Amino acid sequence: MSASNLHVYVMAAPLLTAFFVNLLGRISKVWIAPLTIGSLAFSSFASLIVMGRVIAYGGFSYTVGNWKAPYGIELVVDHLSAVMLVLISLVALTGSISAVKSVFQELPDQEYLFFTLYLILITGLYGLVLTGDAFNLYVLLEITSITTYGLIAMGKGRAPLASFNYIIMGSIGASFYLLGVGYLYLMTGSLNMADIAGMLQTMDGGAAIATSLAFILVGLWVKMAFFPLHGWLPNAYSLAPTGAALVAAPLMTKVTIYLMVRVMFSIYSVDYLFITHPIIQNGIVWVAAVAIICASALALAQRDLKRMLTYIIVAEVGYMVGGIWLVNSTGMTGAVLHIVNDAVMTLCLFLAAAALVYRLGDLNFDNLQGIYRKMPVTMAAFTVGAFAMIGVPPTAGFFSKWYLILGGIEAGQWIYVIALLFSSLINAVLFFRIIEIGYFFKEGEHHGHEKVAEAPLSMQVPLVISAAALIVIGLSTGPLVKTIIKLALPAGF
Amino acid sequence: MNYQISIWPLAAVLISLIGSIPIMLSDRSPNLRESWTLLIAFLKVVIVASLLPTVLAGGGFQFTIAEVIPGVPLALRVDAMGMFFALVASSLWFFTSVYSIGYMRSLDEHGQTRYYASFAVAISATLGVAFSANLLTLYLFYEMLSLSTYPLVTHHQDAEARQSGRKYLTYILGTSIGLALPAMLIVYSLAGTLDFKIGGILSGTGASPQTLALVLVLFLFGFAKSGLMPVHGWLPAAMVAPTPVSSFLHGVAVVKVGVFSVLRVIFHIFGPEQLLAVNLGWVITTLASITILVASLVALTQDNLKRRLAYSTIGQLSYMILGAGMLSAVGMTGGLLHIAMHAFGKITLFFCAGAIYVAAGKKYISQMDGLGRRMPITYLAFFFGSLSIIGMPPLGGFISKWNLALGAIESGHLILLVVLLVSSLLNALYFFPIVYRGFFLPAAQGEPEGIKEAPVFCLVPLSVTAACSLILFFWPSVFYRLAQLALGL
């Protein structure tokens, strides 16, 4: 194992472990948790080393099977993918500790199946951020999607239907993406991203290349649930087993947004006509603003905590898509920072939801009355996550929103700025509604002596860690942006 | 101005935040818990006071907590203006802590641990606002104060508290996110910094007068804690809180954090010269004058004592903003001074209202006939407090109002002088009847016997703050000097 192929091991660890979980987990349940958590801990450790190496020496790549690019498969690490690698590792690790408890409760005797899919999903996510090949990206996108379909279908009640819905939408998205790549291949004869980028610079683009970008973008938008293509997400994530939502909700949309950045600026470029075209640029930023406002409004209509959170995810997708399409340095910084922050915020809130589900079963708002007294630690961490979503300093959410709004002001996109502020206000309403319900008691039941205990320790610890991380990340925004995020911005920013 | 790097500003801010932990851990032992509260309050005053001599000598301290945004670190700085406010807030917190013990125990309130812990976080945030080196840090602590006072406002956890809490957050959080935050971002994109500087940071940025006017209005309403109409509605609603909360937070800390933030923006973000140059002072004075007169008139109609005090507070807060808006040296000094003078006066009045509630269980002025003869110390303190608010010698309020009146003359807007005088008259009209009823009207029929003064834990703080109001008339020099240093005079 040398330093320059370490990122392959990051990806290989969960993949190999998935098989062991499946085999050994059949024999005895005791293997499942140590194997899963162990492999993710290994990946986290390795991805931190990769990050250190990238900071010290810059990006590097590995050619699988020693088939040289552009024909072989290339796994590339640069600053941005190193950030994503660390993010995926740590979020998945933290989430899986809590997921173990929740899966053992919700899916008795199916744990080994769940964690097999779970680990392959994470492998797919690693692959997505590492691959330097446009077609491999499609394959990995399908690996993550198909494992997610399976995970969601394991949920109770209407979950299989939600999964089916997602399959239809997800397949349409994937087809769009594949069509786009097809066009690119026809025009350039290559699938390697760097290779294509080099050819596009000298090529007279024409309509075919523009069409390829349009197809790819639409495909990715479906996968990231960019409003109005978000229809599959709320049901899928709220009906999925809690353990699946723990990793899918924070990571799937964020990784897809990473893919959009990757495709836009690593295959095409900042000054590619389609991206700089004011009508297209303004149009997409406006759609993002509408996405933010509509998704926030839809979140207001929900009476179930998990469903409410899923609509917030849709709104947050609008934040990042808008930030990227401002196409200025500040907005881009905000978007990349927000990928990190939003993943941790979503993780924190879903961990809190998982702890609440574990004790309460159902997160209808009426169930939450007086919950602050019954589960103080869980709710304290939830409150931190809520403040981050609202954007209260010094939590991380404030600072990425700061960059996004500032980017909007610099670009003169006032509708986007107003949408962001509006969404912060709506988030305040959303979360204080929960806080209010949790803080006050039911009519008649005065001091809430009904016995609901605090969540088990293995759910509390990851939750508290993620809440603390929100504050630590927030306070270290300055160094984080200066040493990592600024360097992670695509060329031209 | 040179500032020494020092950890003490951070210590002054954090001591009560950290102190909230032992307070929460001492849930089972109230005496220990209250000892913690008093110890922290005492240490806080000592730390703040120990920084005073350097500031009076023209120096200061600073401490950078974290680099968060290029050009805008999270940083604390003890300058004259921050010192001015910190001195008022920390000393009055000590008295409030003593008073809280008397009040909360007499009424046997529930959730006292949460109460003391939230209070400790709130005072931390208040000092944080006072010692902020830039607008971002100020915003951080401003929000922290909004959030930490929510459990205090909704302390009773009943339907009324729920309604008021909702109103409180809607006004305070809605304006700070919706108005103050974008204003701050616009300033940052114009000036590239958010540092507080004498003379302001917006001059020479080439911002158009329209932009400046927009930003000014966003700030004036964005810091809704200052109670400028029409964003004042949260304050009367927040009176549902226990009285020590009303007295300290809604007489001193929260509302003055609002005013302090507005004044910081006027003095150290815009700079008086800049505002004079683009002639925006009238925006401030007009809004403030309307608030002063309307609030005083509404106060006249309130029968609930705490609500009357709340409307009185709304009016008095606008005095401070009015003074700043005059943009003349004397007027601005008067505005700043009124922060201190009003704080000591108003907290006395609230303490008295609480003492009356504890001793007699009465909330409405119309039921308080003859009460003064049973509770002479409380009523005497109340009388002193109201004199100070009205602005009569020999009480502190006179000093600030005198400066404000001089400022009105100096700035050449005699109409402002009329506003000040009419308002003082209205103040007298809504305060004196309370005292008169207490001392001279016969008690109502069927009044229970045996109403006597409130417990000593309530009585001592209110006597001391009343005495402070008196002392400030004769020795206002510390505050006077700090105000002048803050304005760079």
Side-chain angles (χ1 to χ4, degrees):
Chain A
M1 187 189 307
S2 79
S4 65
N5 62 11
L6 196 55
H7 54 299
V8 181
Y9 291 88
V10 172
M11 190 175 154
L15 182 62
L16 294 175
T17 316
F19 295 106
F20 286 109
V21 167
N22 198 311
L23 292 174
L24 296 174
R26 268 172 215 271
I27 300 162
S28 165
K29 287 179 188 180
V30 292
W31 291 101
I32 297 173
L35 277 173
T36 308
I37 295 170
S39 70
L40 291 175
F42 172 81
S43 293
S44 305
F45 183 66
S47 52
L48 283 172
I49 298 178
V50 170
M51 169 70 99
R53 196 182 143 83
V54 169
I55 290 176
Y57 306 110
F60 51 92
S61 76
Y62 176 80
T63 46
V64 178
N66 210 19
W67 294 91
K68 295 273 180 276
Y71 305 106
I73 295 170
E74 210 183 3
L75 296 179
V76 191
V77 186
D78 60 6
H79 282 85
L80 186 55
S81 41
V83 170
M84 294 303 294
L85 217 51
V86 172
L87 184 71
I88 294 171
S89 302
L90 295 180
V91 167
L93 176 64
T94 323
S96 64
I97 297 171
S98 185
V100 168
K101 267 278 176 218
S102 137
V103 170
F104 274 70
Q105 186 200 42
E106 284 180 20
L107 300 169
D109 300 326
Q110 288 180 294
E111 299 93 345
Y112 67 99
L113 292 173
F114 179 93
F115 280 104
T116 307
L117 286 178
Y118 183 92
L119 286 169
I120 298 176
L121 166 62
I122 291 163
T123 310
L125 292 173
Y126 282 136
L128 281 175
V129 299
L130 288 175
T131 186
D133 184 290
F135 182 73
N136 269 302
L137 200 151
Y138 164 76
V139 174
L140 290 157
L141 202 56
E142 282 309 273
I143 289 177
T144 53
S145 298
I146 291 167
T147 46
T148 317
Y149 304 150
L151 286 173
I152 290 167
M154 291 174 98
K156 290 194 193 70
R158 293 187 298 123
L161 184 64
S163 174
F164 184 69
N165 202 347
Y166 183 16
I167 291 175
I168 304 285
M169 288 292 280
S171 304
I172 293 174
S175 310
F176 267 102
Y177 177 83
L178 192 59
L179 268 175
V181 174
Y183 273 80
L184 269 182
Y185 185 66
L186 280 177
M187 296 301 289
T188 61
S190 174
L191 289 169
N192 184 288
M193 289 187 195
D195 199 32
I196 301 175
M199 279 188 254
L200 284 185
Q201 274 186 347
T202 51
M203 225 160 111
D204 175 27
I209 299 291
T211 312
S212 71
L213 178 57
F215 274 142
I216 289 178
L217 282 178
V218 172
L220 291 177
W221 286 342
V222 174
K223 292 275 183 187
M224 74 172 71
F226 182 46
F227 183 92
L229 305 170
H230 68 285
W232 57 271
L233 187 140
N235 273 332
Y237 285 4
S238 58
L239 295 172
T242 317
L246 269 179
V247 64
L251 291 178
M252 284 292 278
T253 53
K254 260 57 75 178
V255 168
T256 322
I257 287 162
Y258 158 87
L259 293 179
M260 187 173 85
V261 176
R262 185 53 76 194
V263 168
M264 278 170 67
F265 304 111
S266 292
I267 297 183
Y268 306 86
S269 72
V270 192
D271 17 77
Y272 180 57
L273 198 66
F274 190 88
I275 295 174
T276 50
H277 196 292
I279 293 180
I280 292 168
Q281 202 189 319
N282 285 335
I284 293 175
V285 174
W286 286 347
V287 175
V290 174
I292 296 168
I293 291 171
C294 290
S296 299
L298 284 169
L300 265 181
Q302 307 307 317
R303 297 293 300 167
D304 178 280
L305 178 58
K306 252 180 163 183
R307 282 190 73 80
M308 184 190 100
L309 291 179
T310 58
Y311 279 100
I312 292 178
I313 296 177
V314 177
E316 300 282 324
V317 169
Y319 279 39
M320 287 171 273
V321 173
I324 290 164
W325 279 88
L326 294 173
V327 197
N328 64 23
S329 169
T330 317
M332 199 63 188
T333 311
V336 174
L337 188 60
H338 203 69
I339 289 179
V340 176
N341 292 349
D342 191 44
V344 183
M345 294 191 290
T346 315
L347 175 71
C348 176
L349 289 171
F350 271 85
L351 281 171
L356 290 170
V357 168
Y358 192 80
R359 289 297 184 213
L360 301 175
D362 175 16
L363 294 189
N364 197 295
F365 286 175
D366 299 331
N367 267 0
L368 299 174
Q369 281 181 332
I371 197 69
Y372 267 83
R373 184 171 290 264
K374 295 168 194 160
M375 302 173 73
V377 178
T378 305
M379 289 311 285
F382 174 83
T383 310
V384 174
F387 287 172
M389 275 291 178
I390 299 170
V392 177
T395 55
F398 174 80
F399 295 102
S400 43
K401 208 170 275 181
W402 172 282
Y403 276 107
L404 288 173
I405 298 179
L406 199 63
I409 293 177
E410 281 174 13
Q413 297 282 10
W414 294 100
I415 296 184
Y416 177 67
V417 171
I418 290 168
L420 283 178
L421 293 169
F422 176 79
S423 143
S424 302
L425 290 173
I426 295 287
N427 281 353
V429 174
L430 289 172
F431 283 108
F432 269 99
R433 200 165 55 167
I434 309 272
I435 291 172
E436 200 181 64
I437 292 168
Y439 180 67
F440 293 93
F441 305 108
K442 265 194 199 107
E443 296 288 322
E445 173 219 10
H446 195 56
H447 281 244
H449 289 299
E450 188 190 323
K451 277 292 163 225
V452 171
E454 186 53 88
L457 207 58
S458 64
M459 299 187 97
Q460 270 185 53
V461 172
L463 174 58
V464 170
I465 290 174
S466 67
L470 283 174
I471 294 173
V472 173
I473 295 174
L475 285 177
S476 43
T477 302
L480 190 67
V481 168
K482 212 186 311 175
T483 55
I484 301 171
I485 305 283
K486 280 285 179 207
L487 297 170
L489 298 189
F493 283 95
Chain B
M1 185 98 56
N2 59 325
Y3 295 101
Q4 309 168 30
I5 309 278
S6 160
I7 192 85
W8 286 111
L10 187 68
V13 171
L14 284 191
I15 183 165
S16 42
L17 187 66
I18 295 166
S20 66
I21 296 167
I23 291 176
M24 278 190 269
L25 293 179
S26 327
D27 186 30
R28 305 246 168 253
S29 154
N31 285 335
L32 180 63
R33 182 183 66 203
E34 267 75 298
S35 311
W36 281 115
T37 299
L38 288 179
L39 177 71
I40 297 157
F42 178 72
L43 285 176
K44 194 147 197 149
V45 179
V46 170
I47 296 175
V48 171
S50 71
L51 301 176
L52 179 62
T54 318
V55 177
L56 279 177
F61 303 89
Q62 69 178 11
F63 184 81
T64 304
I65 303 169
E67 295 283 344
V68 282
I69 285 171
V72 191
L74 285 184
L76 298 174
R77 181 187 296 156
V78 183
D79 60 3
M81 188 162 164
M83 189 41 134
F84 183 98
F85 185 41
L87 210 55
V88 174
S90 62
S91 58
L92 287 180
W93 186 45
F94 181 74
F95 297 130
T96 311
S97 300
V98 178
Y99 180 84
S100 287
I101 297 170
Y103 184 90
M104 299 300 277
R105 290 195 175 184
S106 301
L107 293 179
D108 197 20
E109 289 277 358
H110 80 289
Q112 290 198 25
T113 304
R114 182 185 66 221
Y115 169 89
Y116 284 107
S118 308
F119 227 124
V121 177
I123 181 69
S124 236
T126 309
L127 275 214
V129 169
F131 287 161
S132 291
N134 55 49
L135 205 49
L136 179 70
T137 317
L138 186 145
Y139 181 83
L140 185 158
F141 286 111
Y142 183 96
E143 294 288 48
M144 184 171 149
L145 183 61
S146 315
L147 298 170
S148 61
T149 46
Y150 176 75
L152 292 169
V153 170
T154 55
H155 182 82
H156 294 304
Q157 289 179 289
D158 52 17
E160 194 192 359
R162 190 183 185 133
Q163 282 300 326
S164 303
R166 209 176 271 180
K167 195 165 186 180
Y168 183 71
L169 282 177
T170 310
Y171 274 87
I172 301 284
L173 221 52
T175 52
S176 71
I177 295 176
L179 306 175
L181 179 61
M184 185 161 73
L185 279 153
I186 294 172
V187 170
Y188 179 70
S189 68
L190 286 173
T193 171
L194 290 172
D195 233 25
F196 296 131
K197 209 171 104 219
I198 288 177
I201 55 171
L202 279 176
S203 45
T205 53
S208 66
Q210 290 82 355
T211 312
L212 289 177
L214 173 75
V215 171
L216 179 67
V217 172
L218 284 177
F219 274 128
L220 284 176
F221 292 125
F223 292 124
K225 284 176 187 162
S226 67
L228 208 58
M229 283 183 181
V231 286
H232 66 286
W234 62 272
L235 186 56
M239 289 299 135
V240 64
T243 309
V245 175
S246 311
S247 46
F248 183 63
L249 293 175
H250 304 125
V252 182
V254 172
V255 289
K256 258 135 222 178
V257 158
V259 172
F260 183 83
S261 308
V262 170
L263 263 50
R264 267 285 195 209
V265 167
I266 294 176
F267 295 158
H268 297 156
I269 294 289
F270 284 95
E273 286 80 16
Q274 168 90 352
L275 285 174
L276 271 178
V278 291
N279 191 23
L280 281 174
W282 67 270
V283 177
I284 306 170
T285 50
T286 311
L287 288 169
S289 300
I290 294 171
T291 308
I292 291 174
L293 294 176
V294 175
S296 300
L297 284 170
V298 176
L300 272 177
T301 67
Q302 300 295 317
D303 189 32
N304 183 322
L305 179 54
K306 275 172 76 179
R307 282 183 76 89
R308 183 174 292 192
L309 292 177
Y311 276 103
S312 157
T313 304
I314 295 170
Q316 299 296 320
L317 295 171
S318 278
Y319 272 71
M320 305 158 204
I321 296 174
L322 180 72
M326 289 172 186
L327 302 175
S328 74
V330 190
M332 293 189 292
T333 314
L336 256 180
L337 278 177
H338 203 55
I339 289 184
M341 303 308 177
H342 173 255
F344 282 93
K346 191 48 71 57
I347 204 169
T348 310
L349 294 176
F350 271 115
F351 280 170
C352 292
I356 292 170
Y357 182 62
V358 166
K362 289 176 197 285
K363 290 180 178 173
Y364 295 97
I365 295 162
S366 53
Q367 298 168 354
M368 292 179 187
D369 293 356
L371 214 52
R373 294 192 295 274
R374 313 240 184 114
M375 308 174 66
I377 303 178
T378 307
Y379 264 74
L380 198 63
F382 191 93
F383 181 59
F384 274 33
S386 44
L387 281 185
S388 184
I389 302 290
I390 298 163
M392 297 233 230
L395 285 132
F398 173 77
I399 307 271
S400 49
K401 290 213 174 172
W402 175 257
N403 277 289
L404 285 172
L406 282 180
I409 296 167
E410 194 186 82
S411 66
H413 299 297
L414 287 181
I415 181 83
L416 298 181
L417 189 62
V418 176
V419 169
L420 287 171
L421 293 178
V422 169
S423 165
S424 282
L425 189 67
L426 290 171
N427 296 347
L429 279 175
Y430 62 69
F431 277 136
F432 282 152
I434 303 172
V435 182
Y436 174 78
R437 276 169 180 273
F439 280 123
F440 301 113
L441 285 189
Q445 293 293 317
E447 188 81 356
E449 288 302 313
I451 295 175
K452 56 180 195 314
E453 288 284 5
V456 67
F457 268 111
C458 291
L459 215 51
V460 171
L462 67 87
S463 314
V464 174
T465 51
C468 285
S469 273
L470 193 64
I471 293 169
L472 281 175
F473 175 78
F474 295 102
W475 291 283
S477 57
V478 169
F479 286 120
Y480 201 78
R481 180 80 194 116
L482 285 174
Q484 291 200 312
L485 281 171
L487 294 166
L489 298 174

